[in-house]
Amino acid sequence: MDSSFEWLKAYNFISFETTTSTNDQAFNLAKEELLHNHVISAKSQSSGRGSKGRKWISEEGNLYFSILLVRFDDIAYSPIFSFMMANIVADVLDDYIAGNDKIIIELKWPNDILLNQKKIAGILVESITISEINYVVIGVGINVNHHPILEERHIMPSSLLKEGIIISDTQIFLNKLINHFDRQYKIWQQNKNFESIKNYWLSRAYKLGDEVNINLAGKNRTGIFRGLGIDGQLIMQLPNNGDIIYYYSGELT
Ligand code: BTN
């Protein structure tokens, strides 16, 4: 994986000691109607945001960054970036664990990265349209050295360090992630092909083919996780009549 600063040719880079949320900073830049893609990182965040309206506790020692894509064709495509970015985080982590088959990386629908069935990273993709110009923000939080203590969850959090991955230089880690993203994004801009991203994601999918439970707005359903739809929807097959249900969001356990 390329650990150079090659990506700086394509992205402006803003790094904060601390900020509210790198996703919010990306939105502030979008409001200035910028012409360049940006990467915004912070050593800590005071109002880090997670998916489903949750907080993302963001103390120093972990990686917090957002990629701002300007002049984006169509925000209907934005959900694919959760899957593309999850593939990228997994590929880069593969680099760090080469030869250690005790560490298992899995991707949990829709936006989590698991190591040994514990959550070590999450992705929050958001978008905004200003004066008919679309902006997509891909926020990534990776528990490099520590993880928050959360109330009992089906999937507990962990950190790379705790799972045996030592990141001695976070800038090199970030370089690898953005270089890889830049290449994948360029490929996608040419072919708009979600199929290959989807299949690659599915090759590491947590609980694919197993019985899963999806909680959506307090309503639970159990069925078999059969795959992903054309926009990344989860395909569930119900056990009693074999009917297929597509989930655009929800909590998978
Ligand atoms: C999740 O809930 O799993 C998604 C977490 C996303 C956290 C990242 S940290 C960088 C960026 N800024 C934020 O406020 N959130 C995202």
Side-chain angles (χ1 to χ4, degrees):
M1 227 37 86
D2 181 1
S3 63
S4 73
F5 282 94
E6 183 66 24
W7 60 275
L8 282 176
K9 290 180 185 159
Y11 301 81
N12 286 350
F13 182 39
I14 302 178
S15 100
F16 291 94
E17 282 295 312
T18 187
T19 187
T20 48
S21 150
T22 56
N23 269 33
D24 289 347
Q25 289 295 353
F27 280 129
N28 290 340
L29 290 167
K31 285 174 197 144
E32 291 173 22
E33 303 190 15
L34 294 173
L35 301 176
H36 280 97
N37 293 338
H38 276 64
V39 173
I40 303 112
S41 77
K43 285 189 182 158
S44 65
Q45 302 181 117
S46 53
S47 315
R49 293 188 285 110
S51 53
K52 302 175 187 77
R54 289 180 177 137
K55 283 187 185 156
W56 187 260
I57 296 166
S58 308
E59 287 165 16
E60 209 169 316
N62 290 339
L63 190 59
Y64 313 105
F65 69 93
S66 302
I67 301 173
L68 170 68
L69 302 175
V70 302
R71 299 181 172 266
F72 191 75
D73 306 359
D74 182 349
I75 49 173
Y77 284 122
S78 55
I80 69 125
F81 288 105
S82 277
F83 300 93
M84 184 193 288
M85 189 46 95
N87 288 341
I88 285 161
V89 173
D91 278 351
V92 170
L93 289 179
D94 262 347
D95 236 26
Y96 284 89
I97 62 173
N100 184 346
D101 53 14
K102 290 206 184 87
I103 302 180
I104 309 289
I105 305 175
E106 287 171 296
L107 304 180
K108 179 171 175 282
W109 185 85
N111 52 16
D112 294 348
I113 293 103
L114 310 183
L115 275 194
N116 303 330
Q117 306 211 330
K118 282 163 257 162
K119 176 162 173 169
I120 54 91
I123 297 161
L124 179 65
V125 177
E126 300 179 306
S127 57
I128 190 170
T129 303
I130 302 169
S131 310
E132 294 179 16
I133 299 173
N134 300 320
Y135 301 82
V136 171
V137 177
I138 306 158
V140 184
I142 305 180
N143 298 338
V144 175
N145 289 309
H146 54 77
H147 64 82
I149 308 298
L150 300 176
E151 77 279 13
E152 197 59 37
R153 292 233 173 123
H154 188 78
I155 294 282
M156 293 306 284
S158 188
S159 65
L160 299 182
L161 185 64
K162 201 165 167 185
E163 300 307 315
I165 300 178
I166 296 167
I167 306 287
S168 44
D169 188 328
T170 22
Q171 184 62 57
I172 286 179
F173 186 39
L174 183 65
N175 289 357
K176 289 183 187 213
L177 290 161
I178 311 293
N179 282 328
H180 194 18
F181 175 82
D182 186 38
R183 277 193 296 274
Q184 295 302 310
Y185 181 47
K186 281 180 181 142
I187 293 169
W188 182 81
Q189 278 178 308
Q190 280 162 15
N191 64 16
K192 299 275 173 6
N193 178 6
F194 178 55
E195 197 64 17
S196 55
I197 296 170
K198 179 178 106 171
N199 290 336
Y200 198 57
W201 188 93
L202 283 170
S203 70
R204 305 195 207 234
Y206 171 73
K207 287 201 168 176
L208 179 65
D210 292 352
E211 188 174 274
V212 293
N213 180 77
I214 302 280
N215 182 294
L216 179 60
K219 191 174 173 206
N220 282 296
R221 248 202 202 112
T222 301
I224 308 294
F225 176 12
R226 288 291 178 209
L228 297 179
I230 50 166
D231 296 322
Q233 315 93 309
L234 181 138
I235 303 173
M236 176 190 272
Q237 185 171 31
L238 297 181
N240 47 353
N241 55 9
D243 278 359
I244 296 290
I245 299 185
Y246 289 83
Y247 278 100
Y248 284 86
S249 62
E251 180 95 32
L252 178 149
T253 52

